[in-house]
Amino acid sequence: MPHPSTLWIKNPQGILSDTDAGNGIVVRDNLIIELVPCGAQPTTAYTEVFDAANHVLTPGLVNTHHHFYQTLTRAWGPAANAPLFPWLQNLYRVWARLTPQALDAAVRVALAELLLSGCTTAADHHYLFPAGMDESIDIEVAAVRDFGMRATLTRGSMTLGEDDGGLPPQSTVQELDVVLADSQRLIEAYHEPGEGATIQIALAPCSPFSVTTQAMSESARLAGHYGVRLHTHLAETLDEEEFCLSRFGLRPLDYLDSVGWLGAHTWLGHGIHFNDAEIRQLGAAGTAVTHCATSNMRLSSGIARVLELEQAGVPVGLGVDGSASNDGSNMILEARQALYLQRLRYGADVPVERALRWATEGSARVLGRRDIGRIAVGQQADLAFFKTDELRFSGSQDPLAALLLCGADKADRVMVAGRWRVLDGAIPGLDLPALIHEHRRHARALVDLSTPVIQYS
């Protein structure tokens, strides 16, 4: 007797899989249970069929670095043409007025945009906890569950304000004991270890210029106790490097090592300015790096040495970064940007498939996940389906290459854990115009044009 819920996704136009799956895959409940080679039929009894002849099939895309709340401040004039430090100084004063209602709208906009771009798992780095925002991560958890996605939600923090030589204003800084107590609460309330997890929690002090050394070391201790991962920004700009040398007498990676962070339990946002010895050190430690191509170009931060990082054994994935430095949340477009930026560094022979794997298998490794990011037997049935019938694809020959080279920007269908979450390019049950209206209302209220502007040359 066939299982009551077994789906054959047959005859895809193209498929990014580990082995021959030219005639599709079989999904039972939440898992991929069979790859069907070209010209073959499933050996597993199935109850349903979806003909994917008009679709290019990839694993669900995995976003490893984001700041959901920043969707409220996209393309804000005073920060539109600034590098990282003045960009932050301008925006901190706006973000300090964040409210729970505004955050909820921001998170839902980010998740909707990600999901519609083929992303099934997202990591968010939320470090902003002004007064009244104590339940920020709880708000995110609820939204992720509503969308039926997976997420690694990081309890970020800022404990080093302007008064003590840091970058953020004091109104956005928290006491360390508050941060640690809330981190423990969130891990115990929400973290799901093991395969098939929907919500995972990680600890994520924001950056060397916004947290104290004690916050870094105590977060590492707490994460080790609970077996959760660590995340932070590192080696994003030369300004950060100068800050670390001035304040700690150490380069950013040496500072990271000094506070107990260098290891396979850590992933780093950006990771641009590492020298040869540091790349080898990262590889030996198994510390992962998130490449944020669009943000790095937008803020003129530099180009990460992705191929050298991978050659050294560093897990590398992709992140859209905050929607105030991207200024979007589109994972398939991020893969295209990553491909082109890395070709600018290394040459035109960087394969398209390699960039797609940064966005899938590589990103899953960055988050410590072995159950997502690949189309293989035993993997979670997290899948993205793209059509190539628009004008931009006319004349394209290689379906997988066309996704990036011709600029696919949306998925037609998306499946998470065997359940359809996007159908015909829309999220069932989501009133998108109403969400946009609510989001814009909060964005307007948040951005007060009387905010003092930090000048830059």
Side-chain angles (χ1 to χ4, degrees):
M1 290 290 292
H3 190 276
S5 176
T6 306
L7 171 67
W8 176 24
I9 300 169
K10 74 172 187 176
N11 190 33
Q13 183 183 0
I15 185 167
L16 182 67
S17 61
D18 288 4
T19 57
D20 181 8
N23 206 15
I25 65 175
V26 179
V27 171
R28 176 177 293 163
D29 295 334
N30 60 312
L31 295 177
I32 297 169
I33 63 167
E34 184 178 352
L35 305 188
V36 185
C38 287
Q41 298 286 308
T43 60
T44 306
Y46 54 88
T47 56
E48 299 176 71
V49 177
F50 175 75
D51 188 344
N54 296 320
H55 293 89
V56 182
L57 182 57
T58 74
L61 308 183
V62 180
N63 173 34
T64 61
H65 185 68
H66 205 333
H67 309 292
F68 293 161
Y69 75 90
Q70 290 183 14
T71 61
L72 294 160
T73 50
R74 302 196 229 225
W76 186 53
N81 305 309
L84 180 65
F85 274 25
W87 176 87
L88 282 170
Q89 288 169 316
N90 275 310
L91 282 163
Y92 276 144
R93 288 159 176 78
V94 175
W95 296 335
R97 294 194 291 270
L98 190 66
T99 66
Q101 296 77 18
L103 176 61
D104 182 66
V107 171
R108 290 173 187 275
V109 162
L111 292 174
E113 192 175 3
L114 287 167
L115 187 57
L116 290 168
S117 74
C119 178
T120 54
T121 300
D124 187 57
H125 187 182
H126 188 85
Y127 51 80
L128 189 71
F129 293 85
M133 296 302 299
D134 295 342
E135 297 184 350
S136 292
I137 307 302
D138 306 82
I139 290 169
E140 294 193 324
V141 168
V144 170
R145 287 176 172 170
D146 283 350
F147 277 83
M149 296 174 67
R150 303 185 200 275
T152 297
L153 301 174
T154 72
R155 206 305 179 178
S157 56
M158 295 195 291
T159 59
L160 183 69
E162 288 175 318
D163 292 354
D164 299 307
L167 207 64
Q170 292 302 126
S171 62
T172 63
V173 169
Q174 290 184 298
E175 294 296 327
L176 180 56
D177 59 347
V178 173
V179 172
L180 296 175
D182 194 47
S183 298
Q184 181 175 343
R185 176 186 72 85
L186 292 166
I187 294 168
E188 292 179 352
Y190 298 121
H191 181 69
E192 302 169 23
E195 295 190 356
T198 297
I199 302 292
Q200 294 194 324
I201 301 295
L203 304 186
C206 182
S207 63
F209 50 81
S210 60
V211 296
T212 62
T213 298
Q214 186 181 6
M216 293 291 286
S217 58
E218 286 296 308
S219 294
R221 180 195 59 77
L222 188 62
H225 175 75
Y226 280 98
V228 301
R229 296 177 73 75
L230 289 166
H231 182 49
T232 193
H233 298 94
L234 201 82
E236 182 176 359
T237 67
L238 293 176
D239 285 343
E240 177 200 309
E241 185 175 302
E242 292 168 5
F243 180 93
C244 288
L245 287 168
S246 174
R247 188 173 182 90
F248 310 118
L250 297 168
R251 287 176 55 81
L253 190 63
D254 289 333
Y255 172 66
L256 193 78
D257 193 14
S258 75
V259 292
W261 275 56
L262 199 58
H265 55 291
T266 296
W267 85 100
L268 308 173
H270 302 283
I272 299 169
H273 300 286
F274 292 128
N275 60 34
D276 292 348
E278 290 168 338
I279 288 175
R280 291 192 296 271
Q281 189 178 3
L282 285 164
T287 300
V289 169
T290 294
H291 180 37
C292 303
T294 304
S295 176
N296 295 345
M297 288 188 282
R298 156 82 151 82
L299 296 174
S300 190
S301 300
I303 305 175
R305 300 167 63 183
V306 167
L307 268 59
E308 291 152 276
L309 287 163
E310 285 195 312
Q311 187 175 14
V314 177
V316 174
L318 301 185
V320 300
D321 201 11
S323 290
S325 67
N326 184 308
D327 292 38
S329 307
N330 189 305
M331 268 302 292
I332 191 64
L333 287 180
E334 192 63 34
R336 185 181 201 237
Q337 293 282 59
L339 172 68
Y340 286 168
L341 189 59
Q342 292 306 310
R343 284 187 171 187
L344 189 62
R345 175 177 281 279
Y346 296 108
D349 58 348
V350 176
V352 172
E353 184 174 313
R354 191 166 185 174
L356 286 170
R357 291 191 183 277
W358 291 333
T360 52
E361 183 176 357
S363 285
R365 287 187 65 207
V366 166
L367 297 183
R369 301 287 299 253
R370 297 293 184 267
D371 58 334
I372 61 173
R374 296 184 299 130
I375 293 178
V377 172
Q379 290 280 290
Q380 292 289 313
D382 294 2
L383 305 165
F385 298 69
F386 298 91
K387 282 190 171 182
T388 57
D389 57 356
E390 296 179 47
L391 183 62
R392 74 183 76 184
F393 297 105
S394 182
S396 62
Q397 305 299 314
D398 182 327
L400 281 171
L403 293 183
L404 301 193
L405 300 184
C406 299
D409 64 350
K410 63 180 181 296
D412 180 64
R413 284 180 171 240
V414 178
M415 175 181 285
V416 184
R419 299 184 64 181
W420 295 112
R421 297 302 184 182
V422 173
L423 293 171
D424 300 323
I427 300 171
L430 177 65
D431 187 340
L432 193 57
L435 176 59
I436 293 171
H437 175 79
E438 181 72 2
H439 184 259
R440 286 177 172 171
R441 183 175 69 83
H442 285 294
R444 284 193 298 268
L446 191 68
V447 178
D448 178 355
L449 296 183
S450 68
T451 301
V453 173
I454 305 297
Q455 298 298 330
Y456 49 90
S457 58

